[in-house]
């Protein structure tokens, strides 16, 4: 009911502290799980039912405990399908798929478990995206310097959580380039009005 009377000026949906910003807003039910991943390669999974309802203007609740210098990279609503997998891509172009059942459901607010290990010597590599994908999906990997690669998800290997992944896009790290965006290409025949 809090969003029934939306005006042209909009509504405040959360109070944010200085330096905070709202990056994601997803619809979920109490039956779903939430997976939150960090730029340093950690991920935590918790039940959506552990997110207590709060007023529109509240700050919300803590989803993940971050180590110093770490930030949230992505979040997903997991439906619990048996063949669900995540695409994990780093800023230096490494990536893999990981089955969601490798992330057990824990209490909200934990520090998480390893979602990806970084290649040795890649001290500046960070997670760019942790996104739920279907094997039939295609993704666009876009670098900060405008290089775009289209890739079939089924061509990216499914590996364990502690694997480093494979090179999914060459990135000229020496010139300061990095993967900035990973987008899922809409499948043909998807109704845009839905």
């Amino acid at each position: 009911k809090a969003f029934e009377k939306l005006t042209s000026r909009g509504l405040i949906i959360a109070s944010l502290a200085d330096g905070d910003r709202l990056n994601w807003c997803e619809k979920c039910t109490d039956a779903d799980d939430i997976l939150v991943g960090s730029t340093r390669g950690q991920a935590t999974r918790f039940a959506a039912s552990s997110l207590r309802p709060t007023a529109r203007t509240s700050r919300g609740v803590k989803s993940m405990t971050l180590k110093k210098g770490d930030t949230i990279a992505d979040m997903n609503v997991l439906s619990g399908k048996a063949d669900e997998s995540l695409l994990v891509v780093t800023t230096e172009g490494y990536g893999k798929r990981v089955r969601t059942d490798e992330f057990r459901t824990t209490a909200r607010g934990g520090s998480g478990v390893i979602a990806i290990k970084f290649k040795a010597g890649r001290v500046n590599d960070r997670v760019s995206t942790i996104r739920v994908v279907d094997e039939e999906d295609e993704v666009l990997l876009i670098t900060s310097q405008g290089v775009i690669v289209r890739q079939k998800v089924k061509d990216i290997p499914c590996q364990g959580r502690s694997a480093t992944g494979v090179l999914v896009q060459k990135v000229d790290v020496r010139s300061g380039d990095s993967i900035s965006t990973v987008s899922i290409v809409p499948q043909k025949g998807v109704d845009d009005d839905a």
Side-chain angles (χ1 to χ4, degrees):
K1 292 193 177 208
F3 297 98
E4 285 180 348
K5 294 185 181 178
L6 187 62
T7 67
S8 61
R9 293 183 338 186
L11 288 174
I12 294 173
I13 63 167
S15 296
L16 301 174
D18 288 341
D20 277 353
R21 65 181 188 194
L22 180 64
N23 287 338
W24 305 275
C25 185
E26 298 272 346
K27 190 175 180 179
C28 64
T29 67
D30 281 349
D32 295 327
D33 280 354
I34 309 295
L35 188 128
V36 178
S38 78
T39 55
R40 296 272 173 105
Q42 297 291 110
T44 186
R45 178 180 184 165
F46 56 89
S49 59
S50 70
L51 297 169
R52 66 182 179 272
T54 59
R56 260 193 316 108
T57 57
S58 75
R59 291 186 60 195
V61 295
K62 188 174 202 170
S63 63
M64 183 177 189
T65 300
L66 298 170
K67 294 179 180 160
K68 187 176 180 182
D70 204 358
T71 59
I72 300 294
D74 217 338
M75 69 80 60
N76 295 274
V77 176
L78 305 179
S79 63
K81 292 191 297 187
D83 60 345
E84 215 169 28
S85 65
L86 297 167
L87 176 65
V88 183
V89 177
T90 72
T91 57
E92 293 188 6
Y94 290 91
K96 64 181 180 177
R97 285 183 296 143
V98 183
R99 293 176 48 88
T100 57
D101 59 13
E102 288 201 38
F103 298 90
R104 64 182 173 83
T105 303
T106 60
R108 177 185 50 77
S111 60
V113 295
I114 293 172
I116 189 168
K117 281 192 177 177
F118 299 103
K119 295 277 185 187
R122 303 266 180 183
V123 294
N124 295 320
D125 203 4
R126 297 289 181 262
V127 171
S128 174
T129 300
I130 300 177
R131 188 81 348 223
V132 173
V133 291
D134 190 50
E135 193 165 286
E136 300 308 313
D137 286 338
E138 290 185 347
V139 292
L140 289 177
L141 300 120
I142 306 166
T143 71
S144 58
Q145 293 181 358
V147 178
I148 300 175
V149 171
R150 187 172 181 154
Q151 178 98 246
K152 291 182 179 181
V153 168
K154 64 182 173 187
D155 293 340
I156 300 171
C158 197
Q159 299 179 340
R161 287 187 305 104
S162 60
T164 56
V166 298
L167 192 62
V168 293
Q169 180 173 351
K170 284 187 179 180
V171 176
D172 189 1
V173 179
R174 290 188 182 125
S175 71
D177 204 6
S178 64
I179 301 282
S180 61
T181 307
V182 178
S183 299
I184 298 173
V185 177
Q187 293 180 1
K188 291 179 184 172
V190 173
D191 185 20
D192 292 334
D193 296 330

